[in-house]
Amino acid sequence: MLTETSLSIWGWGSLGIVLSLITFGPFVIFYLAFYILCFVGGGFVVTLLFGKTNSEKYLEQCEHSFLPPTSTGIPKCLEEMKREARTIKIDRRLTGANIIDEPLQQVIQFSLRDYVQYWYYTLSDDESFLLEIRQTLQNALIQFATRSKEIDWQPYFTTRIVDDFGTHLRVFRKAQQKITEKDDQVKGTAEDLIDAFFEVEVEMEKDVCRDLVSTSPKDEEGFLRDLCEVLLYLLLPPGDFQNKIMRYFVREILARGILLPLINQLSDPDYINQYIIWMIRDSNCNYEAFMNIIKLSDNIGELEAVRDKAAEELQYLRSLDTAGDDINTIKNQINSLLFVKKVCDSRIQRLQSGKEINTVKLAANFGKLCTVPLDSILVDNVALQFFMDYMQQTGGQAHLFFWMTVEGYRVTAQQQLEVLSSRQKDGKHQTNQTKGLLRAAAVGIYEQYLSEKASPRVTVDDYLVAKLADTLNHEDPTPEIFDDIQRKVYELMLRDERFYPSFRQNALYVRMLAELDMLKDPSFRGSDDGDGESFNGSPTGSINLSLDDLSNVSSDDSVQLHAYISDTGVCNDHGKTYALYAITVHRRSLNSEEMWKTYRRYSDFHDFHMRITEQFENLSSILKLPGKKTFNNMDRDFLEKRKKDLNAYLQLLLTPEMMKASPALAHYVYDFLENKAYSKGKGDFARKMDTFVNPLRNSMRNVSNAVKSLPDSFAEGMTKMSDNMGKMSERLGQDIRQSFFKVPPLIPKTDSDPEHCRVSAQLDDTVDDNIPLRVMLLLMDEVFDLKERNQWLRRNIKNLLQQLIRATYGDTINRKIVDHVDWMTSPEQVADLVKRFRDTFWPNGILAETVPCRDKAIRMRTRVAGKTKLLSIMPDELKHIIGAETTRKGILRVFEMFQHNQLNRRMVYVFLEGFLESLFPQYKFRDLFNRLHSRSKQMQKYKQKLQTTQAPSLQKR
């Protein structure tokens, strides 16, 4: 039954499907599904429209319904908010000085306008928030100004800031030495130098390192935020500080809107280089300094920038269509540019090939060195210190010490006898006392150097020693009592192969020539085969002649030099009329003959004459320069007579007898006759101060002053020398000997290494004229690294500084420094600084745009210009005191220190920390900065290193 029913269902179902397919076609299933979907969708639309109509009617009914009245508080708040804002009066007084307050108010206004208003007005029109921020800033500035008035800024400007700069320079110098010691052949990168710098910093500071704030922008911003928040806590009223929103706004404005852009600008090397050039804009660039910079540069980028600029100028000059007199000027300019380009190419080639670039080493290997006579060495303090070092190495220091002590004895004895003679004329009799002091001094020299007990003992003929002893026993001592023995000692040092002859073959002699500026930079020429090394110096003519070439053959008899004035002319420069002399120079050698012209004024002749007569005293009686006379355009007869006299002067100067009598004279003659701008020496004022700035040059009269404490004044000094005459020889010998044992006279003995502590920790507070000496010694010691030189030179410089201070200012130096600090912190100067800040960040009242980064070539040429300017302003007196090479290295070291952005940032933060510590002495800012810098990676490494080194010692205990 069930089976039949199932079959009927399937049968009827199949029949229905077949009939549907026949009737409606094969798409009947899709039609059916479509009809069902339309039915459902239509029902949904009808329901939606019905609900929407009913909802609108219901909402309309709700709007017209009456709700119960609200409380009175809400309408009152709405009424208060809609009420027109009252005008808030703000006191515009900030510092009490109107000239400061006016630009300071403008800075506040511009800061709010450009950092707050531009986004705040998109949120609200309410002015009260802006006024509250302004009031908060003003409160902080008022508190800051009040604190500044209560502080004595003299210690900060005269001690702290100089100490920070000197310590920064010391860390940089030690970092350079550390990089050099790692690998002498491979030059360290800038990153290696920065890492080494912060390693040395943490070793010196012990408890702080500023590597993160100087190298990481993120950590720097965090440091400035924390610092600004601390300052706001100190400067703002408690109510304003507790307002977090206000505090954060002010903090961000100070940190990111003012401090960070200012620090970015101050630490930019290119900005510093431009500022250096602007500071010394009044001094002209010296050609010799420019060429020295090119020859000494180890930066390929600098050399390429100068070379490319020279090539550009060459292309322009060659494109000019000129004739007449202008063609000669253009040819000279082209020759000069060709020479500069050639030197740059040579230097680049040497740097890229990895060859030796050290001037001293190159000269020692390839150069023909100038000959400096022993008598010239003994009267030049720079040369003498190198000879001292050499004599100490060879064991002959006793002979040199004896010679210097006797020279000092002679000078002092002559002075005392002159004083004695003048007192006798005045009726004052102290003959016995003075002669007793002279005898005691002479006996002291005898016992120290010539007696059997002397150690070391000066070896001279016994009969001379016996004669001296007999004279001391039976006769009154005279200034010339040691002359015979001193002459023998001089001949021994001159002729003994152990001393002066060997010194000329030693590396110290080459270094001495470099310090005397008698050693030029050898440059690369030609290929590696044959004579690839030579000296180049002159940029003019056909580049065949140079001072260096001439200096190398100064002792060669086969080279003949002839010069005469071939023409005269009248020149007008800025309204001043003067005569100009054209000198034709012929140089003949066995293989060549060259000729060139150079142009000199009478003032050049006068300066040259003063130079050589100071250096060679015997020339003053032989050479006579025609007297100076005011030049008259119409006085042609006088001009011809002057030409004749100067020709006679040149002919006498260039005679072979004159050159042979003074071999070192050739260097000065060639420098004067070289075809370049003549670099004048000391001016009249400098020559008058020569006894202060260059001891031992004119005579050995300054030896006694250079090796013992200088008197406070010349009159008082005569009394002091008379009182201490008996101890003179002992002091002379001890002072000179101590110069080799590295015992600095100004540095007290400490347990720590002086090189691993701050600079100020090494100064003795008991030194006379402490403030100026502190400043000068810090700069001299660290800039020129004088601690590496023997202490005789350091004592010499200390004495010179004391004399210069007293001669220039007398006893008023402290008052002058205080007056200068007061002037720096005066309202006028502070107002000027605020105006400069305002005009820098908001020129013409508009926020300055970000300065685009200058082209690399321009920045490199700016570096060259900055170094050239610095070298050009260095006075010759400084070179005479510490040496030309040391002066150049010191100046270039300071310049190189400013070429690293991270190191400049570190120095700015050090100055800022010192400023805040001085401004808030009652708060522990030092501990605060140590905590802010505590996350330093270098600091963590240093602590781990200390723990590692201390662990074995603790285990032994």
Side-chain angles (χ1 to χ4, degrees):
M1 189 70 182
L2 292 173
T3 304
E4 293 178 356
T5 303
S6 176
L7 290 173
S8 62
I9 292 173
W10 281 102
W12 285 107
S14 300
L15 179 62
I17 291 172
V18 171
L19 292 175
S20 297
L21 291 173
I22 294 173
T23 304
F24 298 104
F27 298 102
V28 63
I29 298 176
F30 297 102
Y31 292 150
L32 182 62
F34 177 73
Y35 295 153
I36 294 173
L37 181 63
C38 290
F39 177 78
V40 173
F44 179 77
V45 171
V46 171
T47 303
L48 180 63
L49 292 175
F50 179 77
K52 179 177 182 295
T53 303
N54 290 339
S55 297
E56 291 176 350
K57 292 180 180 180
Y58 180 75
L59 290 174
E60 186 176 357
Q61 292 176 358
C62 290
E63 288 180 358
H64 294 286
S65 65
F66 294 96
L67 296 176
T70 60
S71 62
T72 58
I74 295 177
K76 214 166 183 57
C77 290
L78 293 174
E79 183 182 356
E80 186 72 22
M81 293 175 65
K82 292 179 180 179
R83 185 182 302 173
E84 184 177 358
R86 294 177 299 173
T87 303
I88 302 178
K89 295 183 179 180
I90 297 180
D91 190 354
R92 298 180 64 85
R93 293 176 297 178
L94 298 174
T95 64
N98 185 53
I99 57 175
I100 301 178
D101 294 346
E102 183 179 353
L104 206 54
Q105 286 289 355
Q106 292 179 342
V107 170
I108 296 175
Q109 178 183 348
F110 294 155
S111 300
L112 293 176
R113 181 195 67 188
D114 295 324
Y115 295 114
V116 179
Q117 291 179 4
Y118 82 95
W119 58 264
Y120 177 74
Y121 283 140
T122 62
L123 303 177
S124 174
D125 294 331
D126 187 19
E127 297 284 346
S128 60
F129 177 73
L130 298 177
L131 294 176
E132 289 294 338
I133 291 182
R134 188 185 189 103
Q135 186 65 51
T136 302
L137 285 173
Q138 292 195 173
N139 290 336
L141 288 173
I142 291 172
Q143 292 296 324
F144 180 83
T146 304
R147 288 293 310 157
S148 300
K149 295 176 182 178
E150 299 173 356
I151 301 300
D152 180 14
W153 290 106
Q154 179 186 343
Y156 175 74
F157 285 105
T158 60
T159 303
R160 176 62 186 267
I161 197 169
V162 181
D163 176 36
D164 289 337
F165 178 80
T167 302
H168 185 84
L169 181 58
R170 171 175 291 183
V171 175
F172 179 75
R173 174 173 54 81
K174 291 181 69 65
Q176 283 185 320
Q177 294 174 355
K178 195 170 186 178
I179 293 296
T180 305
E181 292 171 359
K182 285 183 179 179
D183 195 343
D184 293 336
Q185 301 298 327
V186 180
K187 181 184 176 183
T189 62
E191 290 75 13
D192 296 335
L193 179 63
I194 292 171
D195 292 340
F197 180 92
F198 290 110
E199 289 178 9
V200 176
E201 181 194 17
V202 73
E203 293 174 0
M204 184 174 294
E205 298 283 359
K206 304 293 192 261
D207 54 359
V208 65
C209 184
R210 303 170 183 83
D211 56 339
L212 287 182
V213 73
S214 303
T215 58
S216 171
K218 182 179 179 181
D219 290 292
E220 182 181 19
E221 291 180 6
F223 173 82
L224 289 176
R225 288 194 183 99
D226 294 339
L227 183 60
C228 290
E229 192 148 355
V230 172
L231 292 177
L232 292 177
Y233 172 77
L234 297 175
L235 298 175
L236 292 180
D240 291 341
F241 183 79
Q242 296 301 328
N243 187 338
K244 290 186 176 180
I245 296 178
M246 190 76 64
R247 185 173 80 235
Y248 290 161
F249 271 116
V250 176
R251 184 192 69 181
E252 291 299 313
I253 291 174
L254 291 176
R256 294 181 56 84
I258 297 178
L259 287 180
L260 190 59
L262 180 62
I263 293 172
N264 288 336
Q265 185 176 27
L266 293 178
S267 58
D268 181 18
D270 190 49
Y271 171 80
I272 296 176
N273 296 340
Q274 295 179 63
Y275 188 74
I276 290 174
I277 297 174
W278 178 82
M279 284 289 291
I280 50 181
R281 60 190 180 279
D282 294 333
S283 66
N284 296 323
C285 282
N286 186 296
Y287 164 76
E288 184 177 358
F290 172 72
M291 293 309 303
N292 280 335
I293 292 300
I294 297 299
K295 293 179 179 181
L296 295 174
S297 175
D298 56 0
N299 189 311
I300 295 180
E302 293 179 359
L303 297 170
E304 289 179 342
V306 174
R307 181 193 61 186
D308 294 343
K309 189 64 178 178
E312 179 182 337
E313 292 294 326
L314 278 171
Q315 185 177 2
Y316 169 75
L317 290 175
R318 286 169 174 168
S319 65
L320 295 178
D321 184 13
T322 57
D325 296 336
D326 292 339
I327 192 64
N328 296 324
T329 303
I330 292 177
K331 283 183 178 180
N332 290 333
Q333 293 177 355
I334 290 176
N335 288 332
S336 299
L337 291 171
L338 286 172
F339 176 75
V340 171
K341 186 173 179 295
K342 182 178 183 297
V343 172
C344 291
D345 288 333
S346 300
R347 190 70 177 176
I348 292 172
Q349 184 178 357
R350 176 165 289 279
L351 289 171
Q352 291 177 341
S353 63
K355 292 185 177 181
E356 181 64 62
I357 60 174
N358 185 278
T359 305
V360 175
K361 293 181 180 179
L362 281 173
N365 295 333
F366 302 102
K368 295 179 181 179
L369 304 178
C370 298
T371 300
V372 181
L374 179 60
D375 55 352
S376 298
I377 293 176
L378 293 176
V379 297
D380 188 288
N381 65 323
V382 175
L384 182 57
Q385 58 128 348
F386 287 98
F387 191 55
M388 275 186 178
D389 291 339
Y390 176 77
M391 294 295 282
Q392 198 267 343
Q393 293 176 8
T394 58
Q397 66 270 26
H399 298 79
L400 181 59
F401 294 166
F402 172 78
W403 190 92
M404 294 179 63
T405 306
V406 169
E407 198 70 20
Y409 167 82
R410 179 191 298 109
V411 172
T412 309
Q414 289 174 351
Q415 292 174 347
Q416 294 305 301
L417 291 178
E418 290 174 2
V419 172
L420 178 61
S421 176
S422 63
R423 288 183 175 180
Q424 287 177 342
K425 292 180 180 179
D426 297 336
K428 300 178 181 179
H429 300 282
Q430 293 181 341
T431 306
N432 295 332
Q433 180 183 359
T434 302
K435 291 184 178 180
L437 293 174
L438 288 176
R439 182 183 301 279
V443 171
I445 296 175
Y446 173 83
E447 294 291 340
Q448 188 172 354
Y449 293 104
L450 301 173
S451 67
E452 296 293 337
K453 299 178 182 179
S455 178
R457 184 171 183 265
V458 176
T459 55
V460 291
D461 296 338
D462 292 338
Y463 79 92
L464 291 176
V465 177
K467 180 181 177 182
L468 174 64
D470 183 67
T471 303
L472 289 174
N473 291 330
H474 299 93
E475 299 178 13
D476 292 334
T478 62
E480 298 82 16
I481 191 172
F482 293 100
D483 282 5
D484 293 338
I485 298 179
Q486 187 190 30
R487 192 177 302 107
K488 286 291 183 181
V489 170
Y490 175 83
E491 292 177 357
L492 179 66
M493 292 189 296
L494 178 63
R495 306 189 187 284
D496 194 316
E497 288 295 331
R498 297 173 299 165
F499 303 141
Y500 176 71
S502 297
F503 174 62
R504 289 185 54 191
Q505 309 300 324
N506 192 274
L508 287 172
Y509 184 78
V510 181
R511 290 176 55 193
M512 181 197 74
L513 292 178
E515 295 294 354
L516 296 175
D517 210 16
M518 299 176 69
L519 185 68
K520 300 298 179 178
D521 179 31
S523 60
F524 182 82
R525 183 195 299 170
S527 62
D528 292 336
D529 301 328
D531 296 334
E533 307 293 340
S534 64
F535 285 94
N536 283 324
S538 177
T540 52
S542 58
I543 321 178
N544 293 324
L545 180 67
S546 70
L547 171 63
D548 312 297
D549 297 323
L550 293 170
S551 299
N552 288 332
V553 298
S554 60
S555 59
D556 190 353
D557 294 337
S558 62
V559 176
Q560 296 179 357
L561 199 66
H562 178 65
Y564 63 94
I565 299 177
S566 56
D567 197 6
T568 59
V570 178
C571 295
N572 187 286
D573 185 15
H574 300 286
K576 294 183 178 180
T577 303
Y578 57 86
L580 194 66
Y581 301 92
I583 305 175
T584 301
V585 184
H586 292 269
R587 175 179 179 266
R588 297 185 182 89
S589 61
L590 295 177
N591 301 322
S592 63
E593 179 177 351
E594 294 165 318
M595 183 186 71
W596 69 94
K597 282 189 177 183
T598 189
Y599 299 88
R600 295 288 180 258
R601 298 174 57 179
Y602 176 80
S603 59
D604 298 331
F605 277 95
H606 182 266
D607 182 85
F608 169 72
H609 181 75
M610 293 294 292
R611 279 189 179 185
I612 61 175
T613 52
E614 287 176 359
Q615 185 67 27
F616 311 96
E617 294 183 1
N618 60 317
L619 296 181
S620 58
S621 60
I622 303 174
L623 289 173
K624 299 296 182 182
L625 187 69
K628 191 172 184 180
K629 179 181 178 182
T630 304
F631 176 71
N632 188 338
N633 287 339
M634 304 304 295
D635 195 356
R636 299 299 178 182
D637 294 337
F638 166 75
L639 194 59
E640 289 298 324
K641 184 177 183 303
R642 174 62 58 80
K643 172 184 174 182
K644 181 179 178 181
D645 294 340
L646 291 178
N647 267 325
Y649 178 85
L650 287 175
Q651 300 308 316
L652 179 60
L653 180 67
L654 295 175
T655 57
E657 294 77 10
M658 186 75 73
M659 291 295 184
K660 290 180 180 179
S662 303
L665 175 64
H667 170 75
Y668 297 91
V669 174
Y670 296 141
D671 183 33
F672 180 73
L673 295 178
E674 188 183 7
N675 189 5
K676 67 172 186 179
Y678 180 61
S679 177
K680 291 187 178 180
K682 299 174 287 185
D684 293 336
F685 176 77
R687 296 183 188 282
K688 294 177 183 178
M689 297 292 292
D690 195 57
T691 56
F692 293 129
V693 299
N694 194 14
L696 307 176
R697 159 162 279 201
N698 296 329
S699 69
M700 285 305 295
R701 185 173 299 274
N702 292 320
V703 171
S704 59
N705 295 334
V707 295
K708 60 187 180 70
S709 298
L710 289 178
D712 295 333
S713 65
F714 293 111
E716 183 183 356
M718 298 306 296
T719 304
K720 287 188 175 182
M721 284 188 286
S722 176
D723 295 338
N724 298 313
M725 192 68 181
K727 299 180 180 179
M728 185 199 70
S729 62
E730 181 181 357
R731 292 176 59 190
L732 287 175
Q734 289 178 353
D735 286 341
I736 298 175
R737 286 183 176 183
Q738 286 176 359
S739 67
F740 293 100
F741 293 103
K742 303 299 180 183
V743 182
L746 299 179
I747 300 177
K749 295 181 180 179
T750 58
D751 297 331
S752 60
D753 182 4
E755 282 288 286
H756 288 82
C757 62
R758 293 184 65 86
V759 172
S760 61
Q762 305 176 48
L763 288 179
D764 187 358
D765 293 334
T766 62
V767 177
D768 294 338
D769 296 326
N770 186 47
I771 293 177
L773 277 180
R774 183 188 299 271
V775 174
M776 293 185 182
L777 288 175
L778 283 173
L779 295 180
M780 295 289 284
D781 266 4
E782 295 308 321
V783 172
F784 302 109
D785 195 15
L786 297 181
K787 288 176 289 298
E788 296 299 320
R789 315 289 286 274
N790 65 56
Q791 296 310 314
W792 181 85
L793 178 65
R794 294 194 69 219
R795 181 182 292 270
N796 210 351
I797 293 172
K798 177 242 182 181
N799 293 336
L800 290 170
L801 291 177
Q802 285 180 327
Q803 272 198 335
L804 280 174
I805 290 170
R806 292 192 178 101
T808 307
Y809 299 107
D811 296 329
T812 65
I813 184 66
N814 291 329
R815 180 171 55 81
K816 286 184 176 293
I817 290 182
V818 172
D819 292 343
H820 186 70
V821 172
D822 291 340
W823 174 79
M824 291 174 61
T825 56
S826 64
E828 293 78 8
Q829 289 302 309
V830 174
D832 185 63
L833 291 175
V834 175
K835 290 178 181 178
R836 290 185 184 182
F837 176 81
R838 177 199 63 191
D839 296 338
T840 301
F841 283 85
W842 292 278
N844 299 320
I846 302 174
L847 182 64
E849 299 180 357
T850 302
V851 179
C853 185
R854 301 202 307 165
D855 181 72
K856 180 181 178 182
I858 297 177
R859 287 186 283 116
M860 290 294 104
R861 288 196 292 271
T862 304
R863 285 181 50 154
V864 174
K867 289 191 283 188
T868 302
K869 283 275 191 179
L870 285 176
L871 277 188
S872 299
I873 65 172
M874 286 300 104
D876 289 338
E877 288 79 9
L878 183 63
K879 298 177 183 179
H880 295 159
I881 295 174
I882 62 177
E885 186 70 10
T886 299
T887 302
R888 279 194 293 266
K889 286 183 177 180
I891 295 301
L892 294 180
R893 181 188 296 115
V894 174
F895 186 86
E896 181 62 27
M897 181 183 69
F898 288 120
Q899 305 311 306
H900 302 276
N901 185 283
Q902 296 91 334
L903 305 188
N904 294 337
R905 301 185 95 82
R906 186 261 180 194
M907 186 164 60
V908 171
Y909 282 114
V910 168
F911 290 159
L912 178 61
E913 292 173 11
F915 176 79
L916 294 177
E917 289 178 27
S918 302
L919 186 64
F920 301 99
Q922 70 274 29
Y923 300 109
K924 298 180 179 179
F925 260 92
R926 171 50 52 193
D927 296 337
L928 171 65
F929 290 129
N930 290 348
R931 292 179 183 179
L932 292 178
H933 296 304
S934 60
R935 295 184 297 106
S936 166
K937 297 179 181 178
Q938 294 291 348
M939 196 69 203
Q940 296 172 3
K941 291 180 182 178
Y942 179 72
K943 291 181 178 179
Q944 293 176 358
K945 182 180 178 180
L946 283 181
Q947 294 174 357
T948 304
T949 55
Q950 292 176 357
S953 61
L954 293 176
Q955 292 176 1
K956 291 180 181 179
R957 295 180 181 177

